[in-house]
Amino acid sequence: MSIKTIGRVLKERRTELGLGLSEAESFTKIQKLYIVALETDDYKALPGEFYVKAYLKQYAEKLGLNADKIIEAYENGKGIAVEDKDDIQETYRFVKPSERVEPEEELGPKDWHYYFPIIALSGVAITIVAAVFIAVILNNPSSPNLMSSDYSDSKSSILKPSVSSSKSTSESSTSSSSSSVAPAEKLEVTSISGSTMNITLSNAVDPIKIVFTGDANSNVWVLARNTDMSTAGVTISNQNPSATASLTSGATQSTITLGKRTNLAITINGQAVDLSKYTTTIGPYNIYLTVTPATGTTSNATTATSTATTTNSSAQ
């Protein structure tokens, strides 16, 4: 039996367990500096009385010593009676933390129930990432398509006003044309008496043209007064098969005289005069033409030209 200091007992016990200072520090969670102070009985190196007792108790318990006896010896300022090794042979084996078997490891391999929540959560996470990726791709087309779309929209926006303006102007012109174009011209025989015929051209539009046309056997003298025809008249023959006379501007009447009515055709503004209505074969024949002008009219050609001009101006 021998008396040893607390520090010596602690150091010998650590040595018996095969622990170096670094291993003891890791195992006991006490700084190496304080372990050295405890093993050399240098208690002044510790922060205070409270820490001295706390570290002595913690260190003794970790080393497998009786912590109460260690604290009692410290408080009494005495050493510790220790039996010599020759008297009692004790064998100690220190089990390092890495060699310890935790309770969970003793349970054996885990079944599929343990891993199922992990697998399920992983699947959900992958699905969410894939959905977000697809949404981003679908909502962000490539730049060339965007440029093409922008160009098309820009082009459409530039052209639309012109087309709309053209359409509006065209509709306006068409409406104006519909309301201003007079009824068609109408040529009718109002009376016939012997060699005299009275005819009327209603809804007439200038110029009023009288056309005389003969055939291969024609030899007919004709005259149209109040026209640009010579006052001497014209002979329609094989050498001069046709003649045209235009009514003087503003004139509403003309007297047409024919030497005979056979081998001859007459049209006024494209409408034929029916010479077969004469009941006599004895000439000369007089045709009294009365013209009734159309009021507030505009010719179709003029309206069409106006519409085309307006449309072109809008498009430009």
Side-chain angles (χ1 to χ4, degrees):
M1 180 74 67
S2 60
I3 303 299
K4 297 181 180 180
T5 64
I6 296 174
R8 184 176 178 183
V9 171
L10 295 174
K11 183 175 181 180
E12 288 181 354
R13 180 60 174 169
R14 175 177 61 79
T15 303
E16 289 176 1
L17 295 177
L19 295 174
L21 288 174
S22 297
E23 291 177 319
E25 180 182 36
S26 177
F27 174 56
T28 63
K29 308 302 180 185
I30 300 174
Q31 295 183 28
K32 187 188 301 185
L33 174 66
Y34 296 149
I35 291 176
V36 173
L38 293 175
E39 291 181 351
T40 58
D41 299 307
D42 184 12
Y43 303 120
K44 293 181 180 180
L46 276 73
E49 184 72 15
F50 172 79
Y51 288 99
V52 173
K53 292 182 179 181
Y55 285 152
L56 282 174
K57 179 177 176 62
Q58 182 177 346
Y59 196 29
E61 289 177 348
K62 290 292 184 179
L63 296 178
L65 297 174
N66 190 327
D68 293 336
K69 288 185 178 182
I70 296 293
I71 296 299
E72 182 181 356
Y74 169 75
E75 290 177 345
N76 295 329
K78 298 179 180 180
I80 300 175
V82 180
E83 295 181 355
D84 294 332
K85 292 183 179 180
D86 295 337
D87 299 331
I88 300 175
Q89 183 69 33
E90 295 182 358
T91 302
Y92 298 93
R93 179 179 181 275
F94 175 73
V95 180
K96 297 181 179 180
S98 60
E99 297 177 352
R100 294 184 179 182
V101 178
E102 299 297 334
E104 290 184 359
E105 297 179 356
E106 297 175 356
L107 296 177
K110 301 177 179 62
D111 59 9
W112 66 273
H113 294 89
Y114 178 82
Y115 297 102
F116 179 76
I118 299 175
I119 296 174
L121 291 176
S122 300
V124 171
I126 293 173
T127 302
I128 293 174
V129 172
V132 171
F133 178 76
I134 293 173
V136 170
I137 293 298
L138 294 178
N139 292 329
N140 291 277
S142 60
S143 296
N145 290 338
L146 287 175
M147 293 176 64
S148 176
S149 177
D150 292 342
Y151 173 76
S152 298
D153 292 343
S154 176
K155 184 176 179 182
S156 298
S157 64
I158 293 173
L159 293 179
K160 280 181 180 178
S162 297
V163 173
S164 177
S165 176
S166 174
K167 182 178 180 181
S168 176
T169 305
S170 177
E171 290 177 353
S172 176
S173 298
T174 302
S175 175
S176 175
S177 174
S178 299
S179 62
S180 62
V181 174
E185 294 177 328
K186 183 178 181 181
L187 181 67
E188 59 182 346
V189 178
T190 57
S191 65
I192 295 178
S193 177
S195 60
T196 301
M197 177 186 295
N198 291 289
I199 61 176
T200 300
L201 179 64
S202 57
N203 299 317
V205 178
D206 286 337
I208 310 300
K209 292 183 178 295
I210 305 171
V211 179
F212 303 90
T213 306
D215 57 22
N217 299 317
S218 294
N219 188 16
V220 182
W221 174 84
V222 298
L223 173 64
R225 296 176 178 82
N226 286 340
T227 68
D228 58 359
M229 181 179 284
S230 171
T231 56
V234 176
T235 299
I236 304 300
S237 62
N238 190 26
Q239 289 75 26
N240 186 32
S242 66
T244 301
S246 297
L247 193 66
T248 302
S249 179
T252 58
Q253 291 184 337
S254 176
T255 300
I256 303 170
T257 303
L258 311 176
K260 60 179 182 178
R261 63 182 179 84
T262 57
N263 305 112
L264 181 68
I266 303 174
T267 61
I268 301 176
N269 276 10
Q271 299 190 54
V273 178
D274 188 1
L275 299 179
S276 65
K277 290 184 177 293
Y278 281 113
T279 58
T280 180
T281 59
I282 301 173
Y285 300 92
N286 289 315
I287 301 174
Y288 297 100
L289 170 64
T290 300
V291 176
T292 304
T295 58
T297 62
T298 303
S299 66
N300 289 334
T302 302
T303 302
T305 302
S306 175
T307 300
T309 302
T310 304
T311 301
N312 291 335
S313 298
S314 298
Q316 293 175 355

